[in-house]
């Protein structure tokens, strides 16, 4: 009262309503919480996460072969060293959209078997000129569900750059010895196994096609795979040795989008 007398302003009485009363007021004015709630725009990112790995290294070791009979072989000599470097993965979640992206900058395998080799890297990413390149990514892949432009239901994109694969006799011999299994494999009925596998594939493919027809999903696919170039030197330690080169070319897959009504007629037509 003293404060009201000093300011000369009458305080507004506080009105408290129960939940039932509030619902009655909302119903009276035609207000719906679910419909009138503020929704974020379609491009708003609810989740934006990135995972980065410097490198993943794998070292294959085995018993090394000794050139001298009197010298014992090393127990854990390195055979191959595989490395994936510059790995990054991104995840984006929007109100009606999900996106995934994967990038692998470098991929190489080092030869630790062939002595005095002129091809220390058995596998390395190469550019268009066939030379090793650190600028090109080995793998770029992305997946998007319900893209913002609504041109398709699913968008899949991938790019795999070419690699040089060097095959030398010492490496092949050591790998065969390393992976050789002493267990005997039963091949009593390979025809039955092959028939069962083919039938399972047919049933699975039929089920996937029926699911695609029912769901009417449109997939935009853009995949480019540059095949490896296989090099087989006669003597890897000799710079003037003969060399066999096998270029496996490239594979490109592009989807030709159709209207959903046209796609349904094409899938279910005679």
């Amino acid at each position: 009262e003293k404060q009201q007398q000093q300011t000369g302003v009458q305080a507004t009485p506080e009105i408290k309503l129960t939940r039932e009363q509030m619902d009655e007021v909302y119903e009276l004015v035609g207000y719906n919480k679910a419909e009138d709630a503020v929704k974020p725009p379609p491009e708003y990112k609810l989740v934006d996460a990135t995972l980065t790995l410097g490198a993943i290294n794998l070292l294959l070791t085995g018993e090394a072969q000794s050139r001298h009979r009197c010298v014992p072989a090393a127990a854990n000599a390195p055979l191959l060293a595989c490395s994936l470097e510059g790995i990054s993965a991104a995840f984006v979640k929007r109100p009606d959209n999900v996106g995934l992206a994967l990038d692998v900058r470098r991929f190489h395998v080092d030869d630790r078997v062939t002595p005095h080799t002129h091809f220390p890297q058995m596998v390395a990413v190469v550019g268009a000129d066939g030379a090793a390149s650190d600028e090109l990514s080995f793998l770029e892949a992305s997946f998007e569900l319900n893209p913002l432009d609504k041109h398709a239901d699913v968008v899949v994109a991938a790019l795999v750059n070419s690699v040089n694969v060097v095959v030398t006799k010492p490496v092949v011999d050591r790998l065969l010895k390393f992976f050789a299994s002493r267990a005997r494999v039963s091949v009593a009925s390979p025809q039955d196994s092959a028939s069962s596998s083919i039938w399972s594939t047919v049933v699975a493919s039929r089920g996937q096609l029926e699911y695609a027809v029912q769901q009417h999903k449109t997939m935009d696919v853009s995949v480019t795979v540059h095949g490896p170039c296989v090099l087989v030197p006669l003597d890897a330690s000799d710079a003037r040795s003969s060399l066999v080169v096998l270029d496996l070319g490239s594979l490109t897959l592009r989807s030709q989008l159709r209207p959903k009504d046209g796609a349904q007629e094409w899938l279910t037509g005679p």
Side-chain angles (χ1 to χ4, degrees):
E1 295 178 357
K2 293 181 179 180
Q3 185 177 2
Q4 294 179 7
Q5 294 177 359
Q6 292 177 359
T7 58
V9 179
Q10 186 177 1
T12 304
E14 182 179 359
I15 301 177
K16 294 184 178 180
L17 299 178
T18 63
R19 181 176 299 179
E20 290 77 7
Q21 293 174 339
M22 290 293 297
D23 294 339
E24 293 179 359
V25 173
Y26 289 155
E27 184 178 359
L28 181 63
V29 299
Y31 174 76
N32 191 322
K33 292 182 180 180
E35 295 179 357
D36 298 339
V38 178
K39 295 182 179 180
E43 64 275 6
Y44 179 76
K45 296 181 180 180
L46 301 174
V47 180
D48 190 354
T50 302
L51 174 64
T52 303
L53 295 177
I56 297 178
N57 298 316
L58 176 64
L59 182 63
L60 183 64
T61 62
E63 183 179 353
Q65 295 179 349
S66 177
R67 298 181 180 180
H68 304 282
R69 297 180 179 179
C70 299
V71 178
N76 294 317
L79 303 180
L80 299 176
C82 177
S83 178
L84 293 171
E85 301 176 358
I87 304 172
S88 62
F91 173 78
V92 176
K93 176 68 173 69
R94 297 182 177 90
D96 300 319
N97 169 268
V98 176
L100 297 171
L102 176 65
D103 185 14
V104 180
R105 294 292 302 173
R106 295 188 62 193
F107 169 58
H108 61 88
V109 178
D110 299 334
D111 181 4
R112 303 292 181 86
V113 175
T114 308
H116 310 293
T117 178
H118 288 273
F119 305 93
Q121 286 191 345
M122 292 183 53
V123 180
V125 180
V126 296
D129 56 353
S133 174
D134 294 336
E135 299 180 357
L136 295 176
S137 294
F138 167 65
L139 171 64
E140 297 177 0
S142 62
F143 172 84
E144 189 174 7
L145 181 62
N146 297 327
L148 296 177
D149 56 6
K150 304 299 182 181
H151 75 284
D153 297 315
V154 179
V155 178
V156 178
L159 171 63
V160 181
N161 282 306
S162 180
V163 296
N164 278 349
V165 180
V166 181
V167 180
T168 61
K169 186 177 183 303
V171 172
V172 173
D173 293 340
R174 294 298 304 279
L175 289 179
L176 290 177
K177 182 179 180 181
F178 181 85
F179 290 105
S181 176
R182 297 181 180 179
R184 296 182 179 179
V185 180
S186 175
V187 289
S189 56
Q191 184 176 359
D192 296 341
S193 301
S195 301
S196 177
S197 177
I198 294 175
W199 177 250
S200 301
T201 303
V202 171
V203 173
S205 301
R206 181 183 302 172
Q208 293 175 0
L209 182 59
E210 293 177 354
Y211 178 79
V213 172
Q214 295 174 0
Q215 298 297 323
H216 315 299
K217 296 296 182 181
T218 303
M219 180 177 294
D220 185 5
V221 179
S222 176
V223 177
T224 301
V225 179
H226 297 287
C229 184
V230 182
L231 310 177
V232 185
L234 185 61
D235 185 1
S237 60
D238 186 2
R240 299 182 178 181
S241 174
S242 300
L243 185 71
V244 177
V245 180
L246 177 60
D247 190 350
L248 298 182
S250 61
L251 172 65
T252 301
L253 178 63
R254 296 282 189 276
S255 60
Q256 184 177 0
L257 297 180
R258 295 171 175 264
K260 292 189 176 182
D261 296 339
Q264 171 68 12
E265 296 176 359
W266 178 74
L267 286 173
T268 59

